[in-house]
Amino acid sequence: MSELLRVEGLKKYFKTTDGYLHAVDDVSFSIRAGETLGVVGESGCGKSTLGRVVLHLLDATEGKIFYDGEDITSVSSAQLKELRKQMQIIFQDPFSSLNPRMTVEEIIEEPLRIYNLYRESDERNRHVEKLMDVVGLAKRLRRSYPHELDGGRRQRIGIARALALRPRFIVCDEPVSALDVSIQAQILNLLQDLQEEMQLTYLFITHDLSVVKHFSNRICVMYLGKVMEIGDVDELFENTLHPYTQALLSAIPIPDPDAPRNRILLRGEITSPINPKPGCRFAQRCNYATAACSEKDPELRQVADNHWVACVRAGR
């Protein structure tokens, strides 16, 4: 598969009264066409900000973004409008991301109107009906409003809207975290089916490692704006090297109350992301931290095929 998206040294800082908050700090990765890269980490680690910077919903502070071989780091308004046809997002909250004054039909139809894809209303209506059918929404819901529907159906509206312009790349920003468990499985299966049918490429953002294992080809683990570990799903789960990733994996629920558990409890203070000092961001909570961990930022280095880790202990 060819490379569709690549980011190099991507940074996003927010100015605060106490200094600059390093939400995304020197992040690099690539995604091949047709695959899913799962981005995981605790709340506040910068994974949602990363997705928004990639899509130009937020401007990057530094770094490069390449899409289909072209540098899209700095684009004009006209270029960005064209880029929106190729790159879309499914938001986390399936209610606040929908206009409460618009019907299901109007929400899905809006991108088609903005881009003038169908001049005849009959053509637009047929395309809207097709999109509703693809995501599993009954036609009788066309004139319903978001508040009249449950979370699963609202998220299906968001998916249909994201698909309206036939994109190649979609950022899925925790698309199932606000849904019931039974509905989560339906939405995940739908996203997988759509990926196979439409050859979609996903950046799948979540805090649930059990979900990302089921859904992704590769996993990127973030902590306070930094990439801690990245690699193929099987390799990362079988050969987990970073202490933070090991702690995350130990917290995955097991559906057996009598099953033996080896939980890794993290202690210590979380490093402030505002003007952070040199060194590993995870050092204050790491059971293996040494003086070397606080001297400089650990580099992301390759330790196996398709496996990179940012830890001075990696490979020992």
Side-chain angles (χ1 to χ4, degrees):
M1 292 183 290
S2 61
E3 182 181 85
L4 183 66
L5 179 78
R6 184 172 83 255
V7 302
E8 297 178 354
L10 198 62
K11 298 181 180 180
K12 178 59 183 177
Y13 299 165
F14 294 97
K15 189 175 182 179
T16 71
T17 54
D18 297 321
Y20 284 93
L21 188 152
H22 294 212
V24 176
D25 205 352
D26 198 20
V27 170
S28 300
F29 62 84
S30 64
I31 309 178
R32 295 183 292 270
E35 79 166 356
T36 300
L37 175 67
V39 181
V40 298
E42 295 172 277
S43 296
C45 72
K47 53 189 186 295
S48 291
T49 301
L50 172 64
R52 282 164 168 74
V53 173
V54 167
L55 293 179
H56 284 277
L57 296 177
L58 295 171
D59 292 329
T61 303
E62 287 184 27
K64 295 285 186 180
I65 307 171
F66 297 89
Y67 179 78
D68 204 14
E70 295 185 12
D71 187 348
I72 62 167
T73 310
S74 300
V75 291
S76 66
S77 298
Q79 290 172 322
L80 184 58
K81 185 175 180 180
E82 286 301 308
L83 198 61
R84 290 277 181 258
K85 294 180 181 178
Q86 298 290 320
M87 308 169 74
Q88 286 289 315
I89 184 171
I90 300 169
F91 293 98
Q92 176 179 357
D93 188 341
F95 188 69
S96 64
S97 61
L98 303 178
N99 189 332
R101 297 188 178 187
M102 296 175 70
T103 64
V104 172
E105 179 182 45
E106 291 169 337
I107 292 170
I108 299 174
E109 187 183 39
E110 187 177 26
L112 305 177
R113 288 182 175 276
I114 292 173
Y115 282 87
N116 253 341
L117 292 188
Y118 299 96
R119 295 185 179 181
E120 298 294 332
S121 59
D122 289 345
E123 288 184 279
R124 279 199 308 270
N125 291 338
R126 283 195 294 270
H127 191 61
V128 169
E129 288 182 359
K130 182 179 177 180
L131 287 168
M132 291 182 65
D133 185 58
V134 165
V135 300
L137 283 170
K139 293 180 182 179
R140 60 182 173 80
L141 300 176
R142 287 183 58 147
R143 305 196 187 282
S144 299
Y145 289 87
H147 73 270
E148 299 177 301
L149 307 175
D150 58 29
R153 288 190 177 92
R154 291 174 195 159
Q155 196 59 289
R156 290 174 191 270
I157 298 170
I159 295 171
R161 179 178 60 184
L163 294 175
L165 300 177
R166 300 186 182 93
R168 297 175 62 196
F169 173 73
I170 297 179
V171 172
C172 304
D173 187 9
E174 301 198 47
V176 297
S177 63
L179 306 177
D180 292 339
V181 175
S182 59
I183 305 300
Q184 287 184 11
Q186 295 177 19
I187 297 300
L188 289 173
N189 290 334
L190 171 62
L191 290 172
Q192 283 188 318
D193 292 341
L194 291 172
Q195 184 174 37
E196 294 177 7
E197 294 171 13
M198 306 177 72
Q199 298 300 304
L200 297 171
T201 303
Y202 292 144
L203 178 66
F204 189 83
I205 298 167
T206 182
H207 59 267
D208 191 334
L209 269 166
S210 58
V211 168
V212 85
K213 181 181 181 181
H214 166 75
F215 195 80
S216 304
N217 302 106
R218 293 187 298 132
I219 297 177
C220 173
V221 181
M222 288 186 67
Y223 183 80
L224 291 182
K226 288 279 191 178
V227 174
M228 300 286 106
E229 191 166 4
I230 185 170
D232 288 346
V233 169
D234 293 337
E235 165 66 20
L236 191 139
F237 270 78
E238 293 173 7
N239 185 29
T240 311
L241 296 177
H242 199 283
Y244 178 61
T245 311
Q246 293 171 354
L248 289 180
L249 290 180
S250 75
I252 295 177
I254 298 175
D256 182 358
D258 299 321
R261 297 296 304 272
N262 186 21
R263 283 293 308 276
I264 300 174
L265 300 179
L266 298 179
R267 297 179 174 84
E269 293 293 328
I270 298 176
T271 302
S272 173
I274 299 176
N275 296 337
K277 297 178 181 178
C280 178
R281 304 276 169 90
F282 185 63
Q284 293 190 35
R285 303 175 73 190
C286 182
N287 296 326
Y288 308 100
T290 64
C293 298
S294 301
E295 294 175 359
K296 63 178 182 178
D297 293 348
E299 294 182 2
L300 195 65
R301 56 195 180 94
Q302 189 170 5
V303 293
D305 290 341
N306 298 315
H307 194 173
W308 289 261
V309 183
C311 180
V312 297
R313 294 179 61 254
R316 297 182 182 177

